[in-house]
Amino acid sequence: MSSEKLLKKQYYPVSAPLYNYLEKYKRVVKTTVFYQDLLRFQGSVVVYDQNNEDTLWVRVFYNEFEKKEIDLSLKKIYTLLHSDGDERNIKNLTVDYIDFCTFGNSKPFRVKIRNLLNDNYTHFYVKIADASRIFGLELEHILSPNSINFLVYKETLIEEHIVGIPGDVFLKHHLDKCTEAEKAQIAKEFVKFNERCMIGLLGDMRSYNFVVIPIYDYDHIVFKIRAIDFDQQCYEGNFKLYKPHLFKENFLFTKLVNDKLKKSSIEQYQNEERSILVKRLAGFEERLSELLEAMKANELSPTINLERLKKETYKVTMDKNFKNAKSMGEIMEAALNFMKRNYNSHHSME
């Protein structure tokens, strides 16, 4: 892959059709604290990890008056995310800390909420409500095996924390400890993840934008891979940027695939992922259709990116629906329809 630099992405406002869609599917909820409110912190300190390395997060502090108001609002948001706003146990919750990340496009706040009765805790994120990110979250919810929990109110987006080991951390500290069988299973999952991102046009899936999740079965560990950052949904013009295996940051994952899997196995796992996608599309037909209509009505990328992606996807598929697309939403629709046609055609000949 070339060393093409990813340009900083701008925020795209939520259109009326998208907001209506979010309201219909209960993604919209009123909150009393907004992203801009959290920016009024009075000071901060750098957060280091257990190896004393800078995490690129800073822990922020507020004056006493604002802290009480913000903490209460954040605890209410927690109840909205996890119990439909049931505040009966809110007195047992506390905000342990609020962190702010200056790295990347979204500049999120990370909030840790702890239950005082049992010390269980969870995190969620407060971000600017960017339309492309919201479409990415919804498409992940529909297309992937993973349900996504998030809420939107005006210009603020609340996302639940996705549990897992960041891909770059996994490569650095965990991969060498895996057995050969586990490495082969990780390779299989990376092939499926790569296929899902490419078909769903989720870009910039470098190792720190997805997590590896070890799941303990009765006699072995199963690994899953899932995205955690949806900032580059239908944004890039370069089709290669929707293929995780081409990023240099993912080289060791790609090497695993080449070392552990034969070409026939790779094709098998790609077909398996397409099969799962086709079944999921059938189960979400009405919802997906409404989402795509909202995508078509919402600007998601500069015109130069749209025109380039049209040409590159047409060159790969020779499908005129890509060439004639007038928006990223239409390219997304063309990609899903192309995948369905190819899958159905392949199986009708068997």
Side-chain angles (χ1 to χ4, degrees):
M1 177 181 170
S2 71
S3 58
E4 178 176 352
K5 189 179 186 298
L6 296 178
L7 297 177
K8 184 173 176 61
K9 176 185 167 294
Q10 70 179 80
Y11 289 105
Y12 289 94
V14 176
S15 65
L18 174 56
Y19 208 80
N20 292 338
Y21 169 92
L22 295 170
E23 283 189 311
K24 177 175 179 178
Y25 291 101
K26 303 188 185 308
R27 298 293 201 187
V28 175
V29 66
K30 289 186 177 180
T31 66
T32 54
V33 66
F34 299 94
Y35 178 87
Q36 297 298 330
D37 296 326
L38 296 184
L39 288 174
R40 299 200 303 266
F41 53 86
Q42 302 296 303
S44 65
V45 294
V46 175
V47 177
Y48 295 96
D49 65 15
Q50 58 188 9
N51 299 314
N52 206 34
E53 295 180 3
D54 188 348
T55 63
L56 303 178
W57 291 83
V58 295
R59 191 144 297 162
V60 299
F61 305 98
Y62 300 86
N63 66 47
E64 187 175 350
F65 172 76
E66 284 200 303
K67 178 174 171 50
K68 288 181 181 179
E69 184 180 346
I70 287 173
D71 281 7
L72 178 59
S73 296
L74 292 174
K75 288 187 285 187
K76 288 181 177 180
I77 286 174
Y78 171 87
T79 68
L80 290 167
L81 267 177
H82 296 286
S83 60
D84 290 328
D86 185 347
E87 297 181 7
R88 284 177 293 179
N89 294 313
I90 200 169
K91 62 182 182 296
N92 300 322
L93 302 177
T94 186
V95 178
D96 268 8
Y97 58 68
I98 303 170
D99 292 342
F100 178 60
C101 183
T102 57
F103 175 73
N105 288 325
S106 62
K107 293 185 169 52
F109 286 92
R110 179 177 61 194
V111 180
K112 179 182 178 182
I113 299 285
R114 182 165 54 91
N115 188 314
L116 294 170
L117 296 180
N118 51 37
D119 270 349
N120 283 331
Y121 64 87
T122 190
H123 296 87
F124 64 82
Y125 299 87
V126 182
K127 304 177 180 180
I128 296 174
D130 174 47
S132 52
R133 179 181 294 278
I134 292 171
F135 281 119
L137 289 163
E138 270 296 311
L139 285 167
E140 175 76 1
H141 184 76
I142 293 172
L143 300 179
S144 84
N146 312 302
S147 60
I148 290 282
N149 191 11
F150 71 92
L151 300 170
V152 178
Y153 185 53
K154 295 185 178 179
E155 291 82 32
T156 297
L157 169 65
I158 312 294
E159 283 183 38
E160 71 173 349
H161 175 66
I162 296 173
V163 176
I165 305 169
D168 56 337
V169 175
F170 184 86
L171 291 176
K172 187 175 181 181
H173 297 294
H174 299 274
L175 182 60
D176 287 344
K177 301 173 187 175
C178 293
T179 66
E180 295 307 305
E182 288 170 347
K183 289 178 180 177
Q185 201 264 323
I186 293 167
K188 168 187 172 181
E189 286 303 309
F190 189 71
V191 168
K192 292 191 167 193
F193 176 69
N194 189 83
E195 193 72 6
R196 196 159 63 242
C197 292
M198 181 185 68
I199 293 171
L201 296 180
L202 178 60
D204 197 20
M205 278 297 107
R206 290 177 282 185
S207 57
Y208 48 78
N209 286 331
F210 60 84
V211 291
V212 179
I213 307 169
I215 302 172
Y216 288 81
D217 204 348
Y218 72 97
D219 64 349
H220 67 296
I221 301 176
V222 176
F223 293 88
K224 299 295 181 182
I225 298 176
R226 63 181 295 190
I228 59 173
D229 192 327
F230 304 91
D231 184 65
Q232 302 285 325
Q233 177 66 53
C234 293
Y235 176 76
E236 299 295 346
N238 183 349
F239 189 43
K240 290 181 178 180
L241 298 179
Y242 297 103
K243 302 177 181 181
H245 76 283
L246 296 179
F247 285 102
K248 67 180 188 298
E249 290 86 351
N250 300 339
F251 171 74
L252 290 179
F253 286 109
T254 303
K255 187 174 186 300
L256 272 187
V257 173
N258 294 332
D259 291 347
K260 297 295 180 182
L261 303 180
K262 295 181 179 179
K263 183 179 179 182
S264 59
S265 295
I266 293 173
E267 291 175 352
Q268 174 194 337
Y269 298 141
Q270 289 171 331
N271 287 332
E272 286 179 6
E273 192 60 30
R274 291 173 197 151
S275 172
I276 293 170
L277 282 170
V278 168
K279 290 173 183 175
R280 291 189 66 82
L281 292 178
F284 282 90
E285 191 170 359
E286 180 181 347
R287 182 167 181 166
L288 179 62
S289 176
E290 293 173 10
L291 182 66
L292 290 172
E293 288 305 309
M295 286 187 79
K296 294 174 191 177
N298 211 127
E299 183 183 4
L300 295 174
S301 184
T303 302
I304 189 173
N305 287 6
L306 172 63
E307 292 302 320
R308 179 175 179 179
L309 189 60
K310 285 167 55 174
K311 292 176 182 176
E312 294 194 6
T313 48
Y314 174 70
K315 186 176 180 181
V316 171
T317 63
M318 300 308 292
D319 182 341
K320 289 185 179 179
N321 289 311
F322 288 102
K323 188 176 183 180
N324 297 331
K326 296 180 176 61
S327 67
M328 282 295 189
E330 290 190 14
I331 292 182
M332 184 75 248
E333 184 175 55
L336 295 176
N337 287 337
F338 180 82
M339 186 268 299
K340 282 194 292 185
R341 284 198 307 274
N342 274 18
Y343 177 82
N344 292 332
S345 173
H346 173 74
H347 282 265
S348 67
M349 292 187 291
E350 292 182 347

